[in-house]
Amino acid sequence: MCVKWTTVVPCCVFCLIQGGSDDERKHCKLLEAIKHCAPMTPSALIKTKKQLKNLQHNQSTLETPLTRKETERIQREVAFEKTSKEVSRWQSVVLQNQKAEQLVFPLNQEPSGPKRIEQVVAGWKAQTPLEQEIFSLLRMNKQPLHDPVLTPTEEASLRAMSLEEAKIRRAELQKARVLQSYYEAKAKRERKIKSKKYHRVQKKVMRKEYLKQFDEMVKTDPAAALEELKKMELSRMKERMSLKHQNSGKWAKSKAIMAKYDDGARKAMQKQLEVNKDLTLKLVIPADEDEEDEEESAETLPDFVNDAEHILDQVNPWMRGKLSTDPMVQEESNRLDPPVVRPRELGTPGEGRDDQEEDEEQMEETEEEALLRGFEERRKLQISDDNEEAVEISDDEEAVEISDDEAGLSKFTSLFHGLVNNHMEPPADQPKAGPGVGQGESPALLEEGLVRVRTLEDVELLSQDVSASDPAPLTTTQTPGTEETDTQSATQQADKKRKRKKMIDPNEVLTKEAKVIKMPLAPTAVEDVEGKEEQRVIIKEAFAGDDVISDFLKDKRKQEEAGRPKVIDLTLPGWGEWGGLGLQPSRSKRKRFRVKVAPPPPRQDQKLPNIIISEKRDSSIAAHQVCQLPFPFENPTQFERTIRSPVGRTWNTQNTVQKITAPKVVTQLGAIIEPIAREYLIKDNRQAVTGPSINLESDQGPQKKRRSQQKKKHKRKKN
Amino acid sequence: MKVKVLSRNPDDYVRETKLDIQRVPRNYDPSLHPFEVPREYTRALNATKLERVFAKPFLASLDGHRDGVNCMAKHPKSLSTMLSGSCDGELKVWNLTKRECVRTLQAHEGFVRGMVVRFCGTSFFTVGDDKTIKQWKMETPGYGEEEEPLNTILGKSVFTSIDHHQKEGVFVTCGQQVDIWDEQRSSPIRSFSWGVDSFSCVRFNPVETELLASCASDRSIVLYDMREATPLKKVIMNMRSNTLCWNPMEAYNFTCSNEDYNLYTYDMRYLDKPFTVHMDHVSAVLDVDYSPTGKEFVSASFDKTIRIFPKDSGHSREVYHTKRMQHVISIKWSSDNKYILSASDEMNIRLWKANAAEKLGLVRQTVLFLSFTSSVRTSSNLQVPGIKSNVMKERWISEQCRMLTINR
């Protein structure tokens, strides 16, 4: 009894605590354990107790539900997101309507004009016996019932091809037919020509063409080429079997008689034999198809030996690679881009040498190419042709090259020097202006004279050059020792550069930013050559032609110049005195008629070196200007263009005026305008998929384009 | 072979009728027509001036009410029919073409607070100060029949506004809470409340027909979705909004008329700030209605004027006022986009043109029109007599704001 009680209770408790399959399993285990030890052992009891305790420990409380306020907030957020997403579907429609040139309300107007019969008589039925009879007849013959124009077959054909397509197709067919007739007529005419020579030439041309095709085929379609080869083999067989070209014919016999006396006849006979030999020569199909194919073709068709040779040259990779670019062109291009190459050479002497070497190498290559070209030409003249020979020659070439190299180099250097001198000529003037600049280190002085302005601009130009070429000038001045070890030319260049450097100085002094910018450049010069090279290239690319500070100064000076009033000269030559060629009006007169304008009030940015304050704003004009870009326009130029174009009849045609001045919104008196319906959204989406989006940025006036698009849409609707 | 043939559009050289002037080809070379910009400017200016000269917006005044007109309703199917409810509970149906009242009925005791015509146009609903919602037939009762509502629902509190769903038999009222009603039931199918407060206006979205917006007296605008259990979002403004109106062409935009003299246009997806503030009124704005094209809206103000605003402009393009028109309480834009109806304190309903200078057929009546000719400089230079200056307005607003902050 006692035992029974103990067994029942834990089970019940167990079930209460947890549910689920896992628990059931445990439950079964427990039951089994109990069954096995019917007289309850204390150990089993302890075990169950332990299990119970464990279970009780494992139980964790559920989280308390959120407060009503919080749940509502979450619900609200979710709902709002959902609806706002739903509403956002209208965005495209709204935008489209905003941008539309003209909106016609009510929106869902039915197209005017006659309706289709099927729409009108939707509910109509044939009632009288006559009508019924007619309709049954129509139905039997598969004639259209509602739409009186088109039968099913006609409709199908319409569906298959649009009118435009059909037109195009017809035009094509017409053209083809005409071409065919032309071709036929031509062939007929040619067939009637009796001249043997003509036909021979024709045949030759044909063969040539065929060969060319074959070459192409080898490259593009090897399988087809093989087929062709087989055909050739067949023709060879036929040739072997026939008596053609065997000098056994009537003609050959007559020639044989003549051969004793006539050189021409003899030659003709020999030629005939040669042809036979060529035609019957067995084709060898080697493993290396690519190159030999051409040779084979040359063998099979010996008429074109010369051409074959040409082909061989083409195939030769040695020739192929280099001759692609004309050396003359290359040189020209070299000559064309000296500002890129040359200044770099002027830069650091060490690097400059590297660069020079590179350039020399380039030149060498061009030299080689020139030589090769020469050889090729020579070889074309030669009758003998052999691959090995060619290789030998190319070997020779290199031997020759070395001697040629120097000559080429000297030529190159002289040319280069000439260019450099040309380039350096403006700096040669510099020493005259130099002192002036040296004195005018303060910006105030610099602003005065015309001459000085010019020199400063020059200086700026120079500085641009230098900054574009190399960041190294600082380093060169820092380490003059290294320079001396270099060649004379290098030192000369360095000297020139130093001169330049002096001229840059005032510019750098002008503003503080200049220093700030130049600072990071110094350490790059210390880095190892290759890294520096790379970096230099990168920096050069990034700041190609960028000299912000001098640009700014230039800009400011320009604006100041523009703002300064100019002296007005009102002298009329010949008025009140003698005038004529070479006669100047008298000085007093000139003085009298020269009107000096009072200087304007000082500029606002006079004492602010880093700022340009524009004084162009005119308050009287500003009243007519817009402060905000109107809606559909995306940039000011677009807007200005539209504003600038006149609207009136005086400047535009009637149609244009009507188009421009058309009202934005058209409504009908007495027509109720319903709020936009959901169907419109669906329609719009379908259009968005098929039609292009509105593009404002096209070169064409924005209005026109939109209008045309609208028209398209309108058409689509009608369809 | 292609033969090229000269082809011209006859429209370019053929007259439409014999009476037309012969078309003369002109030389459009701009060098022959100098001073392009000044000439065009003068022309534009002249056009504007002429527009002002011809601006005769006032068409008619409908009188007959014996108290201030509190609300109006458009008929969705008939342009010539219009309903108005006055402060003494009287309701009038007007024929606009004849400019006469066709029917009068005592709808409520106390104010008629709101009214709306069912989307089919066969009946209309009114709410009043007597805590009832009444549905009426549109047809005039026959001879001997009594004016009786189809349905009457007695609510627990006063209803302040009513609006009907665009397509279904569902309408919404507001008072102490926003209730959604089925036409067949006498109790609301859903009620929304968010904090305890009273609402002044509720409107269905005409495009996304399940959406609602309401103005509450705690200075907030609340959005709802009929299908959801809770309101969607709330935006609290500086001052109370009186009414709001959804844009009928742009599903997510609405404009509310505010006590701080301004109107605010919101995008319902981004409620944190209005995307346009429309200023020009010099007193509280009481009502607003969109033109059916969704390009403009008209507002009625306590400053005795009506203003028409382009929907994306900060200032009005037109202001209508007459000497006798008092505080304008209700405003409607006719659904063919040609007319504006205003109901004001002094018991009159006025009919205006939406485009002041537009010619709308023959109008033979002694029309009391405004002369704008004195100020023809530009169209924006409209003179409005006898209203507070902007300085005063600013002062008043700042005062109000200060009071609000103190009270809070």
Side-chain angles (χ1 to χ4, degrees):
Chain A
M1 190 63 201
C2 179
V3 171
K4 222 178 188 179
W5 183 81
T6 46
T7 52
V8 170
V9 169
C11 286
C12 291
V13 172
F14 197 57
C15 290
L16 277 173
I17 289 162
Q18 274 184 328
S21 62
D22 197 40
D23 305 338
E24 279 167 16
R25 210 170 353 109
K26 280 178 183 170
H27 186 178
C28 292
K29 264 186 192 172
L30 270 176
L31 283 177
E32 273 177 12
I34 290 159
K35 266 181 195 169
H36 279 294
C37 44
M40 192 65 178
T41 52
S43 66
L45 196 75
I46 289 161
K47 209 178 173 185
T48 48
K49 267 184 182 171
K50 256 187 190 171
Q51 278 176 334
L52 259 175
K53 259 186 189 170
N54 275 341
L55 285 169
Q56 271 167 343
H57 272 290
N58 283 341
Q59 194 186 29
S60 54
T61 51
L62 285 170
E63 278 180 35
T64 50
L66 288 173
T67 57
R68 196 167 148 235
K69 218 175 172 183
E70 277 172 335
T71 45
E72 272 185 355
R73 184 181 294 157
I74 291 165
Q75 276 178 347
R76 275 200 300 264
E77 259 167 41
V78 171
F80 178 72
E81 250 165 54
K82 204 174 110 192
T83 37
S84 60
K85 201 181 277 176
E86 204 177 279
V87 163
S88 293
R89 289 179 307 163
W90 287 95
Q91 184 112 35
S92 62
V93 179
V94 170
L95 215 74
Q96 197 186 314
N97 283 354
Q98 274 174 354
K99 282 181 177 174
E101 197 67 7
Q102 190 177 51
L103 281 174
V104 181
F105 291 101
L107 281 174
N108 47 357
Q109 261 176 334
E110 293 199 351
S112 56
K115 282 178 185 175
R116 297 180 73 179
I117 285 182
E118 49 186 303
Q119 288 171 348
V120 179
V121 290
W124 185 74
K125 263 187 179 179
Q127 284 169 342
T128 59
L130 179 67
E131 280 170 356
Q132 278 167 2
E133 202 176 326
I134 288 167
F135 271 92
S136 66
L137 263 176
L138 281 175
R139 214 165 277 144
M140 279 201 357
N141 295 327
K142 283 192 176 171
Q143 288 299 313
L145 293 179
H146 299 299
D147 191 344
V149 192
L150 300 174
T151 59
T153 48
E154 281 170 337
E155 257 181 359
S157 69
L158 262 185
R159 236 178 284 126
M161 202 183 286
S162 70
L163 183 67
E164 281 164 34
E165 242 178 281
K167 270 183 183 168
I168 292 166
R169 189 76 199 286
R170 187 160 147 269
E172 271 174 14
L173 279 175
Q174 231 169 3
K175 200 181 170 188
R177 227 175 296 135
V178 168
L179 279 177
Q180 198 187 354
S181 71
Y182 285 163
Y183 189 76
E184 273 170 9
K186 198 184 170 193
K188 212 173 183 183
R189 208 179 57 242
E190 277 172 0
R191 236 187 298 130
K192 277 189 180 171
I193 293 172
K194 284 177 182 169
S195 163
K196 274 185 182 172
K197 194 172 181 184
Y198 170 80
H199 284 292
R200 212 181 295 141
V201 168
Q202 258 334 70
K203 238 182 244 171
K204 203 172 177 180
V205 168
M206 288 249 290
R207 253 185 247 151
K208 238 180 198 173
E209 204 111 285
Y210 174 76
L211 203 73
K212 226 183 242 171
Q213 274 179 10
F214 184 76
D215 280 348
E216 280 289 304
M217 214 184 281
V218 166
K219 273 171 204 161
T220 55
D221 190 7
L226 256 175
E227 282 286 303
E228 286 295 307
L229 272 180
K230 269 177 197 165
K231 266 187 203 166
M232 272 180 216
E233 178 70 20
L234 208 74
S235 72
R236 188 186 67 84
M237 283 173 183
K238 274 183 188 166
E239 180 66 28
R240 271 171 71 94
M241 285 193 286
S242 75
L243 287 174
K244 255 184 182 176
H245 308 113
Q246 300 278 18
N247 282 359
S248 57
K250 203 173 170 186
W251 173 83
K253 272 172 193 165
S254 70
K255 282 284 164 189
I257 295 161
M258 293 292 289
K260 272 181 190 173
Y261 316 105
D262 192 357
D263 221 26
R266 211 185 302 152
K267 264 186 187 165
M269 279 184 69
Q270 269 172 3
K271 214 175 187 178
Q272 185 85 305
L273 281 173
E274 230 169 87
V275 166
N276 180 39
K277 197 181 162 193
D278 289 335
L279 286 176
T280 51
L281 203 67
K282 177 127 192 185
L283 294 170
V284 187
I285 303 169
D288 194 1
E289 275 186 33
D290 239 2
E291 291 192 11
E292 303 315 297
D293 273 351
E294 270 84 17
E295 279 183 64
E296 285 156 19
S297 63
E299 277 164 7
T300 47
L301 297 160
D303 284 22
F304 316 104
V305 181
N306 289 336
D307 292 312
E309 182 191 58
H310 181 70
I311 287 156
L312 263 177
D313 281 355
Q314 272 189 346
V315 168
N316 190 347
W318 180 260
M319 309 296 288
R320 200 199 275 156
K322 298 261 163 107
L323 289 177
S324 55
T325 52
D326 198 325
M328 294 302 285
V329 174
Q330 184 85 26
E331 249 180 31
E332 270 178 15
S333 70
N334 270 352
R335 222 171 285 156
L336 279 173
D337 56 16
V340 185
V341 183
R342 303 284 134 62
R344 194 201 286 169
E345 284 176 339
L346 286 176
T348 46
E351 278 174 21
R353 264 222 339 236
D354 283 2
D355 283 4
Q356 263 182 353
E357 272 172 17
E358 271 180 22
D359 269 18
E360 243 96 75
E361 272 173 15
Q362 266 195 350
M363 283 307 292
E364 265 179 33
E365 280 171 12
T366 51
E367 289 280 320
E368 273 176 23
E369 280 176 14
L371 280 168
L372 283 174
R373 259 181 121 250
F375 272 115
E376 192 211 24
E377 277 165 10
R378 233 178 291 158
R379 207 181 311 166
K380 267 184 185 170
L381 291 173
Q382 275 178 2
I383 305 161
S384 68
D385 59 307
D386 202 342
N387 244 352
E388 284 180 358
E389 259 186 356
V391 172
E392 272 176 27
I393 286 162
S394 67
D395 281 348
D396 285 357
E397 258 176 289
E398 263 162 356
V400 174
E401 212 174 65
I402 299 155
S403 59
D404 269 13
D405 240 1
E406 278 167 13
L409 208 156
S410 64
K411 225 191 268 172
F412 165 66
T413 45
S414 67
L415 200 134
F416 169 60
H417 276 303
L419 272 171
V420 165
N421 284 339
N422 280 340
H423 199 68
M424 296 297 277
E425 260 172 17
D429 309 337
Q430 287 305 314
K432 297 170 203 164
V437 177
Q439 286 164 12
E441 280 191 345
S442 66
L445 279 175
L446 271 171
E447 283 169 16
E448 282 187 2
L450 252 180
V451 186
R452 273 173 196 153
V453 170
R454 201 191 295 149
T455 52
L456 197 90
E457 274 169 10
D458 282 351
V459 166
E460 278 157 8
L461 254 174
L462 270 175
S463 68
Q464 274 178 3
D465 265 3
V466 170
S467 63
S469 65
D470 204 11
L474 280 180
T475 59
T476 52
T477 50
Q478 279 165 4
T479 58
T482 51
E483 276 177 30
E484 285 167 3
T485 55
D486 283 314
T487 55
Q488 238 190 359
S489 63
T491 51
Q492 276 175 2
Q493 284 166 4
D495 278 359
K496 277 173 188 171
K497 207 169 22 147
R498 236 181 257 150
K499 272 180 200 166
R500 274 194 195 179
K501 228 239 132 189
K502 267 182 196 166
M503 290 152 209
I504 296 159
D505 260 352
N507 220 354
E508 286 174 356
V509 171
L510 280 174
T511 48
K512 280 179 182 177
E513 287 93 327
K515 276 174 194 166
V516 176
I517 283 173
K518 294 220 167 171
M519 279 304 276
L521 296 179
T524 54
V526 187
E527 280 173 17
D528 62 323
V529 181
E530 281 182 30
K532 206 174 75 180
E533 178 85 17
E534 270 180 47
Q535 204 163 9
R536 203 190 56 183
V537 170
I538 290 166
I539 289 169
K540 221 179 84 180
E541 271 177 17
F543 299 103
D546 244 25
D547 193 355
V548 187
I549 297 148
S550 65
D551 275 357
F552 178 80
L553 285 171
K554 221 168 158 183
D555 237 37
K556 188 165 179 180
R557 196 130 313 132
K558 241 186 226 167
Q559 297 223 351
E560 277 169 11
E561 277 296 313
R564 211 168 287 162
K566 271 147 204 149
V567 174
I568 304 163
D569 196 357
L570 293 172
T571 10
L572 286 171
W575 190 259
E577 58 188 1
W578 287 107
L581 201 71
L583 277 177
Q584 285 276 324
S586 69
R587 206 173 164 194
S588 59
K589 194 186 173 189
R590 265 189 290 168
K591 217 174 188 179
R592 192 143 51 99
F593 283 104
R594 193 169 285 180
V595 181
K596 270 190 184 170
V597 185
R603 284 179 68 88
Q604 281 179 306
D605 57 1
Q606 199 185 22
K607 282 171 186 172
L608 305 166
N610 305 336
I611 296 170
I612 300 174
I613 298 173
S614 172
E615 292 180 341
K616 276 180 191 164
R617 190 182 151 83
D618 190 346
S619 55
S620 59
I621 293 172
H624 299 285
Q625 286 173 324
V626 289
C627 49
Q628 237 179 357
L629 206 60
F631 162 66
F633 301 103
E634 275 160 0
N635 50 359
T637 49
Q638 218 176 50
F639 176 63
E640 276 166 15
R641 206 166 45 195
T642 332
I643 284 292
R644 203 172 291 139
S645 60
V647 185
R649 277 165 217 280
T650 322
W651 299 274
N652 291 307
T653 58
Q654 180 74 20
N655 286 346
T656 324
V657 172
Q658 274 172 0
K659 267 180 201 165
I660 294 171
T661 56
K664 279 214 105 182
V665 174
V666 176
T667 52
Q668 257 182 336
L669 188 68
I672 293 173
I673 303 166
E674 300 271 338
I676 198 163
R678 285 228 176 90
E679 293 88 64
Y680 200 80
L681 183 69
I682 298 157
K683 204 192 290 172
D684 180 77
N685 280 344
R686 214 175 293 146
Q687 277 187 358
V689 171
T690 52
S693 61
I694 294 162
N695 186 12
L696 267 176
E697 283 175 337
S698 58
D699 291 333
Q700 207 184 0
Q703 301 178 342
K704 278 183 189 173
K705 185 135 197 191
R706 253 178 285 147
R707 202 170 292 135
S708 64
Q709 273 177 354
Q710 269 201 335
K711 270 182 194 166
K712 269 182 212 162
K713 266 171 205 162
H714 204 66
K715 270 183 195 170
R716 223 172 280 145
K717 263 185 220 164
K718 273 183 184 171
N719 290 343
Chain B
M1 194 177 67
K2 197 179 174 187
V3 180
K4 282 186 183 173
V5 181
L6 272 181
S7 67
R8 292 202 185 99
N9 186 1
D11 289 349
D12 294 338
Y13 57 89
V14 173
R15 291 179 294 172
E16 271 177 20
T17 65
K18 239 198 282 181
L19 302 172
D20 275 356
I21 307 163
Q22 276 288 4
R23 284 207 173 168
V24 184
R26 279 171 42 76
N27 192 344
Y28 294 105
D29 183 4
S31 64
L32 296 177
H33 307 285
F35 299 115
E36 180 184 297
V37 177
R39 282 165 83 185
E40 290 236 297
Y41 181 78
T42 318
R43 281 182 196 178
L45 195 62
N46 284 344
T48 322
K49 284 177 185 175
L50 281 175
E51 206 159 69
R52 290 290 96 207
V53 169
F54 290 120
K56 291 166 184 174
F58 183 75
L59 289 178
S61 169
L62 311 173
D63 57 340
H65 276 296
R66 281 170 293 185
D67 205 339
V69 186
N70 196 42
C71 56
M72 287 192 294
K74 289 185 271 190
H75 194 285
K77 299 289 175 196
S78 156
L79 278 172
S80 60
T81 315
M82 196 267 298
L83 287 77
S84 65
S86 72
C87 296
D88 59 355
E90 198 181 47
L91 190 145
K92 276 179 186 290
V93 181
W94 301 88
N95 186 334
L96 290 178
T97 42
K98 292 179 186 165
R99 287 161 203 180
E100 62 181 26
C101 176
V102 290
R103 185 179 167 197
T104 310
L105 53 108
Q106 187 67 32
H108 293 278
E109 288 164 27
F111 280 49
V112 181
R113 286 288 173 188
M115 61 170 80
V116 67
V117 184
R118 202 171 182 273
F119 59 93
C120 58
T122 51
S123 64
F124 58 91
F125 298 84
T126 56
V127 290
D129 267 358
D130 54 359
K131 301 181 186 176
T132 51
I133 306 168
K134 287 180 181 171
Q135 186 181 8
W136 307 81
K137 252 191 181 170
M138 204 64 184
E139 283 172 17
T140 334
Y143 182 74
E145 283 178 52
E146 265 188 54
E147 283 278 16
E148 269 192 357
L150 287 173
N151 285 317
T152 308
I153 300 167
L154 189 64
K156 282 171 193 153
S157 61
V158 176
F159 300 105
T160 52
S161 174
I162 185 168
D163 198 17
H164 202 280
H165 192 272
Q166 206 72 22
K167 284 161 194 158
E168 294 163 23
V170 175
F171 63 91
V172 62
T173 61
C174 68
Q176 285 188 348
Q177 66 203 20
V178 172
D179 296 320
I180 293 169
W181 305 76
D182 194 302
E183 280 175 3
Q184 311 300 327
R185 300 186 187 194
S186 58
S187 59
I189 51 172
R190 187 157 294 161
S191 293
F192 296 113
S193 60
W194 189 347
V196 239
D197 237 308
S198 61
F199 294 88
S200 61
C201 172
V202 66
R203 289 274 176 275
F204 266 110
N205 188 333
V207 187
E208 285 292 327
T209 46
E210 267 65 42
L211 292 180
L212 299 158
S214 70
C215 301
S217 60
D218 66 339
R219 301 174 288 121
S220 68
I221 293 170
V222 192
L223 297 176
Y224 310 89
D225 192 326
M226 227 171 73
R227 298 158 292 191
E228 304 288 343
T230 53
L232 297 179
K233 199 131 188 172
K234 176 150 90 171
V235 56
I236 297 177
M237 304 172 76
N238 270 338
M239 292 183 76
R240 193 168 72 96
S241 302
N242 285 317
T243 46
L244 62 79
C245 186
W246 290 93
N247 190 326
M249 291 293 154
E250 296 170 9
Y252 42 77
N253 290 346
F254 65 86
T255 301
C256 60
S257 58
N258 206 286
E259 283 281 323
D260 66 357
Y261 308 177
N262 294 336
L263 293 115
Y264 298 92
T265 302
Y266 279 98
D267 186 328
M268 68 155 277
R269 298 166 297 170
Y270 316 106
L271 283 173
D272 38 346
K273 81 176 176 208
F275 74 80
T276 325
V277 181
H278 312 272
M279 323 185 237
D280 264 352
H281 279 298
V282 287
S283 190
V285 191
L286 298 182
D287 199 8
V288 60
D289 193 30
Y290 260 96
S291 83
T293 59
K295 296 278 175 199
E296 289 171 325
F297 61 83
V298 61
S299 65
S301 166
F302 199 75
D303 64 8
K304 307 174 190 177
T305 60
I306 300 163
R307 280 182 188 268
I308 301 173
F309 293 85
K311 71 157 198 274
D312 43 11
S313 149
H315 292 279
S316 62
R317 75 158 167 87
E318 199 83 69
V319 51
Y320 294 162
H321 57 91
T322 65
K323 233 179 202 173
R324 295 181 181 185
M325 188 164 72
Q326 296 303 308
H327 313 307
V328 193
I329 294 170
S330 178
I331 195 99
K332 288 279 179 254
W333 198 310
S334 80
S335 43
D336 64 345
N337 194 37
K338 297 287 180 194
Y339 302 97
I340 287 168
L341 288 152
S342 70
S344 47
D345 245 0
E346 77 327 309
M347 307 179 278
N348 274 331
I349 297 163
R350 287 186 171 76
L351 184 65
W352 308 83
K353 286 183 196 170
N355 283 320
E358 196 177 17
K359 196 186 170 229
L360 290 170
L362 288 169
V363 182
R364 299 261 172 144
Q365 238 193 11
T366 47
V367 170
L368 211 123
F369 64 85
L370 298 164
S371 72
F372 287 110
T373 44
S374 57
S375 64
V376 286
R377 193 85 29 90
T378 51
S379 63
S380 62
N381 207 355
L382 300 171
Q383 301 269 319
V384 185
I387 39 182
K388 288 176 201 164
S389 70
N390 265 346
V391 182
M392 280 186 71
K393 171 191 169 184
E394 293 296 324
R395 205 178 297 153
W396 191 84
I397 287 179
S398 59
E399 179 75 10
Q400 292 290 318
C401 291
R402 200 172 53 81
M403 296 273 278
L404 274 171
T405 47
I406 288 165
N407 289 342
R408 225 173 276 166

